[in-house]
Amino acid sequence: MPRGPERFPIPPPEGGIIRNRIAPLIPDGFLWNGVNVVSRYGEVRPRPGLKRVYAAGPGGRLMGGLFYRTPSGTPVVVVATLSAWFRAVNGVWTNIAGTTVLNGHVDNQTRMTAFPTGTPTVNLLIGTNNVDPLQSFDPAVGRMVALGGAPPTAARDICSADSYVVVGNVLEGTNRSPSRLRACAFNDPNTWPANFVWDLTSTDDPIVAVHRLGRTAFLVYKDESLWVGEAQAGTLPFRVEMLEVRPGPVSPGAVVDYGAHQFFLGNDARLYQVSGFAVQAVSGPIERELQSLSSQFGLRFDTLQ
């Protein structure tokens, strides 16, 4: 900058990067561009990046996984491929599917939830790949087994809330019910009462994801609407109501927890923040980048308004 009698302070870019405006319109305190940097605590720092945890994977295409702890605090890492589940123990991947061969599909993520049950308490890992029967894994047993008690054949997503396992967009035999929720009996994932059913058919869109909200509630993300399930006393363990009509996530795995909030990548190429029952788009500064992903990686986004 040329020297002169007037000096203009340049505030530090605490606000991060804005890419939805041309450079002259970017306000003070923001960057117009950047590569592998993040704004943290008022400073722009290099992005930490990824750290290799295991020297090699289990082999095959990974379709999902979960990290959780047993009641005694033992860490458990389980991942799923198209054909099996694997557990990592001391850096070695062990096939825990036994003789079961799964028939996963590349378009269906494997979704898992940790579910405490029994006396003494054990943390079961319960999962679905939207194709095969629901499976559970008890680290003390060492292998996965199919759930009993006539659960749905398969489901697109799964979560646990108020000591119930909840699944959405279910396959029952050969019949697909894309707007249906099912739940197991209280504290018993091997019993599935026939009346624990919720059909969210007042909006004509399929369930994409179900995600726990606190201890006793969950959110149902449909393709074009958002619903909430809250625990209640009565014949059915949850009351499920629609919150609002808005674009849903691109996939079950596009919904993540961060702090007290949930975030999801919507099928309209926007990033949304869910705080309790309030939803707002938070991706304004980077929406051009999100739109470019749709062509770069083949993601499905609807036309932006």
Side-chain angles (χ1 to χ4, degrees):
M1 179 181 294
R3 295 179 179 273
E6 296 186 29
R7 296 186 178 184
F8 299 92
I10 301 177
E14 298 179 356
I17 297 172
I18 290 183
R19 289 184 174 175
N20 64 340
R21 302 184 187 181
I22 61 175
L25 296 181
I26 293 178
D28 291 340
F30 291 85
L31 296 172
W32 72 273
N33 202 353
V35 177
N36 287 328
V37 296
V38 293
S39 178
R40 288 184 176 175
Y41 309 109
E43 297 180 357
V44 176
R45 303 180 179 184
R47 186 181 301 277
L50 301 177
K51 179 181 179 180
R52 183 180 292 275
V53 179
Y54 300 103
R61 181 167 182 159
L62 298 183
M63 300 303 298
L66 191 69
F67 166 83
Y68 71 105
R69 294 183 182 275
T70 65
S72 63
T74 302
V76 179
V77 177
V78 174
V79 300
T81 65
L82 292 172
S83 59
W85 288 10
F86 293 84
R87 180 185 181 185
V89 179
N90 298 323
V92 178
W93 293 99
T94 301
N95 188 326
I96 58 174
T99 59
T100 301
V101 178
L102 302 176
N103 301 289
H105 190 274
V106 294
D107 289 335
N108 292 311
Q109 299 168 353
T110 298
R111 305 292 295 157
M112 299 176 174
T113 187
F115 187 73
T117 185
T119 303
T121 301
V122 296
N123 277 356
L124 295 180
L125 179 65
I126 302 174
T128 177
N129 65 0
N130 204 25
V131 178
D132 296 295
L134 275 67
Q135 303 287 328
S136 69
F137 170 67
D138 181 352
V141 176
R143 64 182 179 86
M144 73 177 198
V145 295
L147 285 182
T153 305
R156 190 171 188 190
D157 202 8
I158 186 171
C159 74
S160 59
D162 200 36
S163 297
Y164 295 89
V165 175
V166 180
V167 295
N169 193 335
V170 299
L171 178 67
E172 296 166 299
T174 60
N175 297 319
R176 172 68 65 172
S177 299
S179 291
R180 174 168 291 185
L181 295 170
R182 291 278 309 272
C184 73
F186 179 77
N187 202 33
D188 184 0
N190 287 297
T191 300
W192 291 76
N195 64 319
F196 283 13
V197 175
W198 298 261
D199 287 314
L200 314 182
T201 53
S202 57
T203 58
D204 188 22
D205 53 334
I207 294 173
V208 178
V210 290
H211 212 79
R212 185 171 64 179
L213 181 66
R215 189 183 67 83
T216 61
F218 59 91
L219 290 174
V220 183
Y221 294 87
K222 300 186 73 179
D223 199 46
E224 295 293 340
S225 58
L226 180 64
W227 300 63
V228 62
E230 297 179 276
Q232 67 175 7
T235 303
L236 295 176
F238 296 100
R239 181 181 71 255
V240 183
E241 298 177 343
M242 187 176 71
L243 285 179
E244 57 183 294
V245 175
R246 68 164 55 247
V250 296
S251 72
V255 184
V256 298
D257 293 298
Y258 185 78
H261 310 286
Q262 292 181 18
F263 293 84
F264 69 91
L265 178 61
N267 55 36
D268 61 348
R270 291 185 173 96
L271 183 66
Y272 289 90
Q273 174 182 307
V274 183
S275 302
F277 299 154
V279 186
Q280 62 176 338
V282 294
S283 57
I286 60 170
E287 281 178 6
R288 289 184 179 179
E289 298 296 316
L290 295 178
Q291 293 173 47
S292 70
L293 292 175
S294 63
S295 58
Q296 183 178 358
F297 296 105
L299 299 176
R300 181 188 68 81
F301 292 126
D302 296 333
T303 302
L304 292 174
Q305 301 297 320

